Amino acid sequence: MSPSDFIPKPHDTEFSGGKFTSSAPSNIALIKYWGKKANQIPANPSLSFTLQSCKTITTLEFNTKENDGEFSVDLFLDQQRKDDFKPKVLQFFARVEKYLPFLKEYHFTINTHNTFPHSSGIASSASGMAALAVNLMEIERVLNPQMTDEYFYKKASFLARLGSGSACRSVKGRIVSWGEHNEIQGSSDLFGVTLKDNVHADFENYQDTILLVDKGEKTVSSTAGHDLMHNHPFADNRFAQAHVNLSNLRNALIDGDLTKFIEIVESEALTLHAMMLTSVPYFILMKPNTLEIINKIWEYRKNTGIPICFTLDAGANVHVLYPDKHKSEIIEFIKAELVGYCQNGQYLCDSVGNGAERNVQELPAA
């Protein structure tokens, strides 16, 4: 498909306003996306676990207004007005207007709530943009009732990508690939696709316990980090590595090869941070406690043989990944050995989930 496939045909339907509520989860990349081209096109393919509990719930209310050539948005987080969030939403609207021509016909009120703590290092931009994109597609579906579910979700992922690249992996579950790859059926740079292979039972209900090492704002934004890949001395090798790692990880997921899974996932996490360490300017987002946790995980795995591993996002927090059948002993290990390295002892328990939910009935109370 090409971007032009997402430009809708003219319609005669009149729609004065309404309200939709949808939720979308965050996701954690196993094969990392780091570096992008124009129009939010990834420099390399990525693959992620869609999460279940860490999600954004968004209500989109809209009413017709005079088409004065301007976007009109009010935005609230947990019932509190957030004008500082508006520029990103307005930028998103400008990017997607050609694909959603109705945007200037309505005034939008966006009420959003995260099920995880603010500034906890969870990718709220991914879950937030995915939830907003799904709600906007609900409007388009009213204007185009013949729309198929396949097109609905594909375009929702396409739109979410234009708000935040990794958001395209939060529309569907459970394992989602984004970026063209010759071994992934239907793969595209334009939207995320669910891995269609039969994944081994060991990866069913895989667990992700997120250790909140540092809840502060990152010193370098992800956008700035992506931009530094343009002249990075190791960029080409990194992009080639991601293609190979994705092939090998796909095979590990199918075969149930937990040893290979661990090797690739941990290497990808450290490679991501190696790119940060060797860019110009260079930067470090890991904290001392991040490294302490990694060493504790390695020691525990060596001593017990339990297939526990870690991954990192572009930050200090640690995602502890493990099969559901080992949940009880790993949670005990986390409580005994790792919680002390978390800010205020905080951690979140999550697992692989199914993606966005449409027509959620209501927002939770603030």
Side-chain angles (χ1 to χ4, degrees):
M1 297 184 73
S2 70
S4 61
D5 293 317
F6 295 113
I7 298 175
K9 296 177 180 177
H11 61 84
D12 297 323
T13 306
E14 292 187 5
F15 195 26
S16 61
K19 179 171 71 172
F20 292 106
T21 303
S22 299
S23 71
S26 186
N27 67 78
I28 179 63
L30 307 175
I31 303 297
K32 304 299 185 182
Y33 148 61
W34 198 244
K36 60 185 175 181
K37 305 172 188 176
N39 299 317
Q40 299 284 88
I41 297 298
N44 67 264
S46 58
L47 187 138
S48 63
F49 278 154
T50 308
L51 298 181
Q52 178 66 31
S53 300
C54 290
K55 59 187 176 182
T56 299
I57 304 166
T58 298
T59 293
L60 182 70
E61 296 185 63
F62 53 101
N63 300 96
T64 52
K65 69 175 185 69
E66 182 180 349
N67 190 344
D68 56 3
E70 301 290 337
F71 301 118
S72 180
V73 178
D74 288 320
L75 198 147
F76 298 83
L77 174 65
D78 294 329
Q79 315 303 322
Q80 300 296 314
R81 182 180 290 274
K82 281 288 183 180
D83 288 339
D84 52 328
F85 286 8
K86 282 178 63 173
K88 186 165 187 176
V89 173
L90 294 174
Q91 180 187 52
F92 170 59
F93 276 18
R95 284 178 177 172
V96 302
E97 183 188 8
K98 67 187 295 186
Y99 309 107
L100 300 172
F102 58 78
L103 286 176
K104 287 178 178 173
E105 298 175 13
Y106 297 104
H107 171 74
F108 295 93
T109 302
I110 302 170
N111 284 278
T112 190
H113 165 78
N114 295 326
T115 63
F116 47 89
H118 182 58
S119 297
S120 63
I122 311 302
S124 60
S125 59
S127 55
M129 284 298 177
L132 178 56
V134 169
N135 280 328
L136 291 169
M137 285 305 297
E138 295 287 7
I139 301 175
E140 184 174 329
R141 167 162 258 171
V142 174
L143 302 175
N144 178 15
Q146 307 305 314
M147 182 188 302
T148 65
D149 279 350
E150 179 183 7
Y151 181 87
F152 180 100
Y153 287 109
K154 196 169 285 187
K155 183 168 178 177
S157 179
F158 170 84
L159 296 172
R161 185 196 99 246
L162 293 172
S164 173
S166 60
C168 73
R169 298 192 310 248
S170 282
V171 172
K172 296 290 282 184
R174 307 172 57 88
I175 304 172
V176 178
S177 174
W178 169 38
E180 292 183 2
H181 189 278
N182 58 15
E183 295 178 25
I184 303 295
Q185 184 180 347
S187 63
S188 174
D189 289 341
L190 301 179
F191 46 80
V193 298
T194 299
L195 193 68
K196 294 180 172 62
D197 301 294
N198 292 321
V199 173
H200 194 278
D202 281 348
F203 294 103
E204 288 294 318
N205 202 33
Y206 221 73
Q207 299 295 301
D208 179 6
T209 300
I210 306 154
L211 307 181
L212 304 183
V213 173
D214 184 3
K215 294 174 61 181
E217 295 292 334
K218 290 186 293 188
T219 54
V220 178
S221 70
S222 293
T223 298
H226 284 293
D227 288 344
L228 292 175
M229 290 298 285
H230 291 308
N231 298 307
H232 199 291
F234 308 132
D236 289 343
N237 285 338
R238 163 56 199 158
F239 301 148
Q241 178 197 43
H243 280 268
V244 173
N245 280 349
L246 200 156
S247 293
N248 292 335
L249 184 63
R250 172 179 171 268
N251 291 335
L253 290 166
I254 295 169
D255 297 338
D257 189 338
L258 287 165
T259 300
K260 181 59 69 173
F261 174 86
I262 289 169
E263 176 187 299
I264 296 168
V265 167
E266 291 190 341
S267 175
E268 277 284 313
L270 295 174
T271 298
L272 170 67
H273 285 263
M275 293 299 102
M276 301 175 195
L277 288 164
T278 51
S279 63
V280 180
Y282 41 81
F283 57 100
I284 301 173
L285 292 184
M286 287 191 284
K287 300 293 184 181
N289 282 358
T290 307
L291 298 175
E292 293 286 352
I293 290 168
I294 289 171
N295 281 308
K296 287 284 188 180
I297 289 172
W298 284 345
E299 180 182 15
Y300 179 79
R301 187 169 72 221
K302 179 180 178 181
N303 291 339
T304 66
I306 292 174
I308 181 177
C309 71
F310 72 89
T311 190
L312 308 169
D313 222 329
N317 299 331
V318 181
H319 290 250
V320 185
L321 304 176
Y322 50 94
D324 181 58
K325 63 184 177 182
H326 295 293
K327 182 175 180 178
S328 58
E329 59 260 54
I330 289 178
I331 290 297
E332 287 304 312
F333 160 64
I334 288 170
K335 289 178 178 178
E337 300 288 341
L338 303 184
V339 165
Y341 297 108
C342 299
Q343 187 173 340
N344 300 322
Q346 286 191 290
Y347 64 96
L348 304 170
C349 292
D350 212 331
S351 61
V352 178
N354 293 316
E357 297 180 12
R358 296 161 52 195
N359 304 316
V360 175
Q361 292 303 305
E362 60 183 68
L363 283 168

